[in-house]
Amino acid sequence: MTEIFSQTELQNLVGAGLIKKHGGSGAYILTGKGNKLLDDAFVSDILPYIQRSYRDADIQRRLNIARLLLTFYRSGADVFTTGIDALGQGPGIFLPSNTRGRGANPWANTRIAAVASMEGSVYAIHHIRSDNGKLLFADELAAFSRNTAQLQAGRQAFLFAGASYAEILSELEHREVSPGDRLIGYGEAYQRLRMDAHLVTCDTTGALQLAIMARPDYRRRLTRLAVQSKFVPPPEDFPGCDAFYEGAPFLLAADMDLRRIDAAIQTAYERGCYPVVLAALAGQAEAVLYARYRDTGKARVFRLTDSALREFFGTDSPLYAPSHQQFLTAKGEVIDAPLIQAHRKT
């Protein structure tokens, strides 16, 4: 919240008794008065009622989900959804936990933290941290496919989110074979997964990545802007390549599908057009791609320029920031008006 709202705004919310700081975690949470304000401001079917737990583990889980939601919020996605069907209307994210405790639970005990929809693709989102534990991978895939079938998305994929790329990769690249056991670790699940798998950090870089992935045909369009006059269409028998640049395979890596990059590098090596060329956001290059690919001689890594991103988004500020104007209800009214305004209305 401190990246989106000013300290003055937070202090005003605390002073009005709408939020307070949780003693154990230091997190800002809604008060009873804050919940009542939201119930009064919105119709009843917008905000689900959820029984809150204040155990340390539950607080930490909610903080992780809050960071994930704010990252999507900054990317411009709709985060105010209470049903999976709302994801068919544009970029958005839905929390399965909002349906638990209310009748039948179609998600059972899956570890899917959220489901997102972006430009014809639907994503199962897992929040990765060091204490993840194991999961029933077959049940995860079945629940994801079953509960998103109504969206009729052209593509299903996984999105692994976390505080940092280092934390995400430490879990996804840790192999722990579990013979004869349905419960497996994330490292083994990552290897078994046959869908595309993207990494995203819950920060400004991650929000910009999601904003890119929410745009139509983002790989082709951003590749054209990055390569410009040196663009050469990729051969049809090289499906993991977005273009050829100075005789080398070029891949837009801003969506952080590392398995796609690794497969393209292997193909390039076999065909003698090695190393490949990667283009990504500055934060992605500095945190992962330089060390993983440039420094090992597997790829040349370029950062997407501000001008290319500006032309792609059509603005200098692609990330969403909330308006500082008063909130208006569905009827166009403010929640609270000064006495003089109330007198005029009377």
Side-chain angles (χ1 to χ4, degrees):
M1 286 180 64
T2 56
E3 294 184 9
I4 295 179
F5 302 105
S6 69
Q7 283 297 322
T8 299
E9 289 169 322
L10 291 177
Q11 290 166 6
N12 286 340
L13 291 172
V14 172
L18 302 175
I19 64 175
K20 65 180 180 180
K21 185 168 285 190
H22 181 254
S25 64
Y28 285 109
I29 60 174
L30 279 171
T31 62
K33 184 178 179 180
N35 273 306
K36 185 178 185 305
L37 174 67
L38 294 179
D39 287 338
D40 292 342
F42 294 101
V43 293
S44 59
D45 61 343
I46 288 182
L47 297 174
Y49 174 77
I50 300 173
Q51 185 66 41
R52 298 299 188 192
S53 168
Y54 291 94
R55 295 182 304 171
D56 289 345
D58 292 332
I59 286 286
Q60 189 57 52
R61 179 185 60 81
R62 284 160 57 190
L63 285 173
N64 292 334
I65 295 300
R67 295 185 184 100
L68 175 65
L69 278 179
L70 284 175
T71 303
F72 269 87
Y73 183 63
R74 296 182 70 194
S75 76
D78 180 14
V79 301
F80 303 106
T81 60
T82 57
I84 196 75
D85 55 325
L87 295 183
Q89 303 168 11
I93 182 172
F94 165 71
L95 301 181
S97 59
N98 282 352
T99 63
R100 290 177 179 144
R102 293 188 295 157
N105 176 21
W107 297 92
N109 293 318
T110 60
R111 301 284 290 278
I112 296 175
V115 177
S117 175
M118 293 184 290
E119 195 52 40
S121 298
V122 60
Y123 300 85
I125 304 176
H126 284 249
H127 192 281
I128 304 298
R129 57 190 186 277
S130 58
D131 59 346
N132 270 307
K134 296 184 177 182
L135 71 163
L136 292 168
F137 188 53
D139 291 358
E140 299 285 332
L141 295 175
F144 176 47
S145 178
R146 180 178 63 250
N147 287 294
T148 59
Q150 61 182 296
L151 299 178
Q152 298 181 340
R155 168 177 169 266
Q156 290 184 328
F158 268 59
L159 196 155
F160 295 103
S164 67
Y165 291 117
E167 188 169 10
I168 298 172
L169 287 171
S170 68
E171 291 297 310
L172 296 185
E173 296 185 338
H174 175 67
R175 298 298 305 276
E176 183 179 345
V177 180
S178 306
D181 191 352
R182 293 183 64 207
L183 284 168
I184 61 175
Y186 269 95
E188 189 171 348
Y190 184 58
Q191 293 296 322
R192 293 186 188 183
L193 187 63
R194 293 296 174 261
M195 300 178 190
D196 293 340
H198 305 267
L199 315 185
V200 64
T201 50
C202 296
D203 53 19
T204 299
T205 297
L208 193 55
Q209 173 186 336
L210 294 173
I212 289 173
M213 295 173 65
R215 298 303 196 274
D217 201 12
Y218 68 89
R219 279 181 181 160
R220 183 191 64 81
R221 291 175 54 214
L222 202 44
T223 293
R224 287 273 191 175
L225 292 171
V227 178
Q228 297 185 353
S229 62
K230 295 185 178 181
F231 175 84
V232 175
E236 294 183 0
D237 61 346
F238 204 142
C241 174
D242 297 312
F244 257 62
Y245 175 79
E246 297 180 347
F250 177 96
L251 285 86
L252 180 72
D255 57 7
M256 290 300 284
D257 186 347
L258 300 188
R259 299 191 311 175
R260 174 176 177 258
I261 297 173
D262 293 338
I265 289 175
Q266 181 62 34
T267 301
Y269 180 79
E270 294 170 355
R271 298 187 182 187
C273 49
Y274 185 83
V276 303
V277 179
L278 306 178
L281 298 172
Q284 298 168 341
E286 293 165 0
V288 178
L289 304 182
Y290 285 158
R292 188 182 183 94
Y293 300 112
R294 185 195 64 179
D295 298 348
T296 57
K298 296 179 180 179
R300 298 163 61 194
V301 179
F302 295 102
R303 299 188 300 181
L304 290 167
T305 64
D306 291 340
S307 60
L309 292 172
R310 188 182 308 113
E311 189 171 351
F312 175 77
F313 287 113
T315 178
D316 290 334
S317 304
L319 297 185
Y320 174 73
S323 170
H324 284 243
Q325 302 300 313
Q326 280 184 296
F327 172 79
L328 299 180
T329 67
K331 295 181 179 180
E333 299 176 342
V334 297
I335 295 176
D336 181 58
L339 290 178
I340 187 171
Q341 295 296 334
H343 174 71
R344 288 177 178 176
K345 186 174 181 179
T346 302

